[in-house]
């Protein structure tokens, strides 16, 4: 099955997830090509967050398969062992809505910790890499601060650096700007745009329509746990055929 | 008059019981807290049962049960050991609550953040969760340790020669009761007040969030 060159960076098939009796995901499939950027939009409760969390197994799907670069990493009916979950997470980065930085560690340590503990890099290697990444996201002067001393936008940029330090093949973003003050969002979106331009494979749950238009190649519109529509971002975000999507996009863009 | 040499000797035994019971209770409290945090209802019930029994029986009754009632070999033969085990059992219920509350105080996002960068369970616990949870645990554990220190006085009932034991004996042979017990009261205060101050300092630090930062 392995076909590194032609295979999608990430391939999800028929991902299903229920919480109790409530069906959250009713079989979602997507192939993400290498270097592709997909925006996931949809009303709250549509399953966007659950879906993206299933992609790095923060939620274990009830059913479905997951392939990374052609290699199967999850056959949900078989339930892969923990070791394999960790190896998947080394390859698939995650940026959370609420940042989830380690609150007792400095920005530098946040970025370095997993490089040492999960990737086995030396202290020097990891520090050098962390400094370089924190500079790249514009936080040169904040490396020794703890999350509590940083603004939301700064924390999210540390979180992006923390993920980049793992050299992931794909990065998942779960509403990365929703918990940030509007004027601080720009700096995070700028970093994300740079990543996209650099060719990183990205899946992003977002409400930022303008950003999605620019940065996303394709848009996935989720409703009630299903893909209602999937297509080029230009088409779906500027001229959606589906009435429900049109209303949703207009509402987010502030068009009445 | 209560002889200062006896006060020192009694204090030494009091401290042995205090520290001994702290150690015993810590050893017992960790599995109790773990049982109470699992998803398994049976295991949770066992943890809760332990806490109910440990804390639902008066400490003095525990000491008497262990010293006179059970045959636990050397533990039941030596009053100080019986006191350490009995008070350790009682304190384990409270300390179990401290440990559980400390672990619960760390937001799930911290564990998710650790999981997302592939940290294993061990590293997640020791590098991410405990640094945040321990100050929360210590704040309430320190407060409970004050109660534990005062409860060591009960050990005199089963003949452990700690502070109250000497004060009581001195009174029996003619020392002034008020002065004797006032004196050992001051000795207790010399320990309970500083520990209380540390507990409150930890508690305000935790509440202010310099230790535990939201999200």
């Amino acid at each position: 099955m392995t076909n590194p060159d032609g295979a999608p960076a990430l391939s999800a098939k028929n991902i299903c997830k229920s919480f109790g009796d409530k069906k959250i995901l009713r079989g979602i499939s997507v192939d993400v090509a290498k270097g592709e950027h997909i925006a996931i939009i949809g009303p709250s409760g549509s399953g966007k967050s659950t879906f993206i969390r299933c992609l790095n197994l923060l939620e274990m799907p009830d059913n479905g398969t997951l392939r990374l670069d052609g290699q199967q990493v999850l056959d949900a009916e078989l339930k892969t062992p923990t070791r394999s979950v960790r190896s998947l997470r080394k390859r698939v980065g995650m940026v959370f809505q609420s940042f989830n930085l380690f609150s007792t560690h400095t920005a530098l340590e946040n970025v370095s910790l997993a490089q040492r503990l999960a990737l086995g890099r030396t202290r020097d290697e990891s520090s050098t890499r962390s400094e370089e990444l924190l500079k790249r996201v514009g936080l040169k002067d904040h490396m020794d601060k703890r999350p509590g001393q940083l603004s939301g936008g700064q924390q999210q940029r540390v979180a992006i650096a923390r993920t980049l330090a793992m050299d992931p093949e794909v990065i998942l973003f779960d509403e990365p700007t929703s918990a940030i003050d509007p004027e601080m969002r720009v700096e995070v979106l700028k970093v994300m745009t740079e990543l996209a331009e650099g060719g990183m494979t990205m899946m992003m749950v977002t409400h930022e329509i303008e950003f999605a238009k620019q940065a996303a190649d394709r848009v996935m519109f989720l409703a009630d746990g299903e893909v209602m529509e999937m297509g080029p971002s230009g088409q779906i975000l500027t001229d959606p055929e589906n009435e429900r999507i049109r209303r949703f996009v207009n509402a987010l863009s502030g068009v009445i | 008059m209560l002889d200062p040499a006896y006060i020192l000797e009694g204090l030494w035994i009091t401290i042995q019981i205090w520290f001994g019971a702290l150690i015993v209770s810590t050893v017992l409290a960790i599995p109790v807290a773990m049982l109470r945090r699992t998803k398994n209802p049976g295991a949770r019930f066992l943890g809760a049962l332990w806490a109910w029994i440990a804390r639902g029986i008066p400490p003095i009754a525990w000491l008497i049960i262990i010293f006179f009632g059970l045959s636990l070999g050397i533990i039941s033969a030596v009053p100080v050991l019986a006191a350490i085990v009995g008070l350790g059992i009682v304190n384990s219920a409270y300390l179990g609550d401290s440990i559980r509350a400390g672990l619960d105080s760390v937001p799930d996002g911290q564990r998710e953040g650790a999981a997302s960068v592939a940290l294993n369970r061990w590293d997640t616990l020791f590098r991410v969760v405990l640094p945040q949870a321990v100050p929360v645990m210590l704040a309430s554990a320190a407060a409970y340790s004050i109660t534990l220190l005062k409860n060591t006085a009960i050990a005199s009932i089963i003949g452990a020669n700690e502070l109250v034991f000497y004060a009581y004996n001195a009174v029996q042979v003619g020392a002034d009761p008020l002065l004797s017990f006032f004196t050992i009261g001051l000795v207790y205060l010399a320990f309970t007040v500083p520990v209380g101050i540390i507990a409150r300092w930890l508690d305000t630090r935790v509440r202010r969030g310099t230790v535990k930062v939201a999200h």
Side-chain angles (χ1 to χ4, degrees):
Chain A
M1 287 310 288
T2 322
N3 179 14
D5 291 313
L10 178 79
S11 170
K13 279 213 169 50
N14 193 33
I15 300 291
C16 297
K17 178 73 184 174
S18 299
F19 292 121
D21 292 339
K22 206 165 185 293
K23 281 195 173 169
I24 305 295
L25 303 177
R26 299 162 186 271
I28 297 186
S29 303
V30 64
D31 280 346
V32 191
K34 282 174 191 153
E36 192 180 23
H37 318 123
I38 295 184
I40 304 171
I41 63 170
S44 49
S46 60
K48 314 178 292 279
S49 275
T50 305
F51 177 59
I52 209 154
R53 288 164 58 85
C54 278
L55 297 180
N56 74 344
L57 304 184
L58 279 176
E59 303 289 354
M60 186 59 79
D62 300 328
N63 206 344
T65 50
L66 212 52
R67 281 170 202 283
L68 211 53
D69 197 15
Q71 298 161 276
Q72 179 159 321
V73 288
L74 172 78
D75 181 339
E77 283 171 54
L78 296 176
K79 298 271 180 197
T80 44
T82 325
R83 181 181 289 272
S84 158
V85 172
R86 284 188 58 223
S87 69
L88 164 77
R89 287 179 182 150
K90 284 178 195 168
R91 299 168 62 184
V92 179
M94 179 82 172
V95 174
F96 299 89
Q97 181 177 350
S98 50
F99 329 128
N100 295 352
L101 292 178
F102 309 134
S103 56
T104 46
H105 296 256
T106 64
L108 189 74
E109 290 162 350
N110 261 280
V111 183
S112 300
L113 195 65
Q115 291 186 63
R116 293 206 310 274
L117 299 177
L119 300 183
R121 289 180 190 154
T122 66
R123 193 170 282 273
D124 281 351
E125 273 173 334
S126 58
S127 294
T128 311
R129 187 73 209 285
S130 303
E131 282 171 23
E132 171 199 309
L133 285 167
L134 285 169
K135 276 179 198 157
R136 187 163 139 199
V137 297
L139 294 172
K140 191 163 146 310
D141 302 326
H142 302 282
M143 297 205 251
D144 295 325
K145 291 188 183 161
R146 284 170 209 278
Q149 298 167 294
L150 298 171
S151 74
Q154 289 167 333
Q155 288 188 61
Q156 194 61 296
R157 285 181 284 154
V158 175
I160 293 173
R162 178 175 71 174
T163 296
L164 286 173
M166 306 295 288
D167 295 319
E169 294 160 38
V170 183
I171 302 183
L172 312 171
F173 295 83
D174 186 6
E175 298 198 33
T177 56
S178 297
I180 302 174
D181 289 338
E183 69 269 29
M184 305 290 185
R185 286 179 191 169
V186 184
E187 56 200 22
V188 173
L189 294 174
K190 195 173 141 244
V191 168
M192 288 174 66
T193 306
E194 282 167 12
L195 276 182
E197 284 166 356
M200 176 61 75
T201 309
M202 295 158 73
M203 292 277 277
M204 329 171 254
V205 173
T206 182
H207 292 303
E208 307 273 356
I209 294 295
E210 283 311 310
F211 166 74
K213 269 183 204 168
Q214 281 175 19
D217 303 306
R218 282 194 293 163
V219 169
M220 182 187 224
F221 188 93
L222 289 190
D224 307 319
E226 286 174 311
V227 181
M228 182 174 262
E229 197 150 329
M230 173 104 192
S233 56
Q235 181 208 319
I236 291 188
L237 296 176
T238 46
D239 189 23
E241 285 168 24
N242 184 305
E243 182 53 30
R244 186 166 175 194
I245 299 175
R246 181 190 298 275
R247 269 187 283 131
F248 183 82
V249 170
N250 284 349
L252 280 190
S253 321
V255 181
I256 302 166
Chain B
M1 183 59 203
L2 183 53
D3 190 331
Y6 284 149
I7 295 180
L8 276 181
E9 204 172 315
L11 175 62
W12 173 231
I13 299 294
T14 293
I15 287 176
Q16 282 179 22
I17 300 173
W18 187 29
F19 275 61
L22 276 177
I23 292 167
V24 168
S25 61
T26 307
V27 170
L28 291 173
I30 291 170
V32 170
M34 276 160 51
L35 281 177
R36 300 191 73 178
R37 278 176 52 83
T38 55
K39 287 190 185 117
N40 184 317
R44 275 217 307 269
F45 177 76
L46 273 182
L49 188 67
W50 175 271
W52 290 333
I53 294 172
R55 145 171 70 193
I57 295 173
I60 189 168
W62 268 116
L63 263 56
I64 289 171
I65 290 168
I66 289 170
F67 191 62
F68 295 109
L70 302 175
S71 308
L72 297 175
I74 193 159
I75 292 173
S76 295
V78 180
V80 171
L81 284 181
I84 285 174
V85 171
L87 294 175
I89 289 172
V90 173
N91 198 52
S92 74
Y94 296 102
L95 204 56
D97 278 350
S98 301
I99 293 173
R100 190 165 60 129
L103 292 173
D104 285 348
S105 75
V106 179
D108 284 342
Q110 293 290 307
R111 295 178 182 87
E112 291 194 346
S116 76
V117 284
L119 294 193
N120 62 30
R121 293 174 69 154
W122 198 253
D123 287 334
T124 302
L125 181 64
F126 283 94
R127 302 304 191 102
V128 177
V129 175
L130 285 182
Q132 300 174 58
V134 165
V136 180
M137 294 174 189
L138 284 181
S140 60
Y144 290 134
S145 77
I146 294 173
T147 306
L148 177 61
L149 174 59
K150 290 184 294 180
N151 277 344
T152 59
I154 298 167
S156 60
I157 295 285
I158 55 169
N161 51 338
E162 42 68 76
L163 277 170
V164 170
F165 180 91
Y166 280 112
Y168 188 75
N169 281 1
V171 171
Q172 293 296 305
V173 296
D176 178 34
L178 193 61
L179 187 64
S180 298
F181 278 91
F182 184 74
T183 308
I184 63 162
L186 286 179
V187 177
Y188 282 108
L189 281 176
F191 288 87
T192 53
V193 170
V195 175
I197 290 170
I198 292 170
R200 192 167 318 163
W201 174 75
L202 274 168
D203 199 48
T204 47
R205 255 170 67 102
V206 167
R207 276 178 212 281
R208 263 212 321 266
T210 48
V211 170
K212 184 174 76 70
V213 181
H215 52 246

